[in-house]
Amino acid sequence: IYHVDCKDARVATRDGRRGRLASHLAWADPRRGWDFVSTGRGDVPWEECFRALNHIGYDGPISIEWEDAGMDRLHGAPESLAYIRSLNAITPPAAAFDAAFSSE
């Protein structure tokens, strides 16, 4: 992995009135079956993603591709950045969890 791009979307098909995609409708139209939202407010399991990146020792670039037609960018973009920074700060422990209980 050379680069990680964070972009989020929310799927909204739960009411039976929306199709899976409905992407022919305009962004932010409530009849759409999905739409882009601020990173951290959608359906992407970001914590799982960052834990997996930590597991493989990824230390490359991370970018946020912000698109949310329902939120002002001056609010949403900094919020997304803070969210991703908080997840990127999660680091694996230096020793195994149960090493603290060692009898040595």
Side-chain angles (χ1 to χ4, degrees), residues 54-78:
N54 283 335
H55 181 73
I56 64 169
Y58 180 77
D59 65 353
I62 298 168
S63 67
I64 299 171
E65 187 175 347
W66 187 86
E67 281 187 71
D68 190 331
M71 182 182 290
D72 185 272
R73 65 185 172 88
L74 296 177
H75 173 82

Side-chain angles (χ1 to χ4, degrees), residues 85-97:
R85 280 185 172 160
S86 74
L87 292 178
N88 196 40
I90 298 171
T91 57
F97 172 76

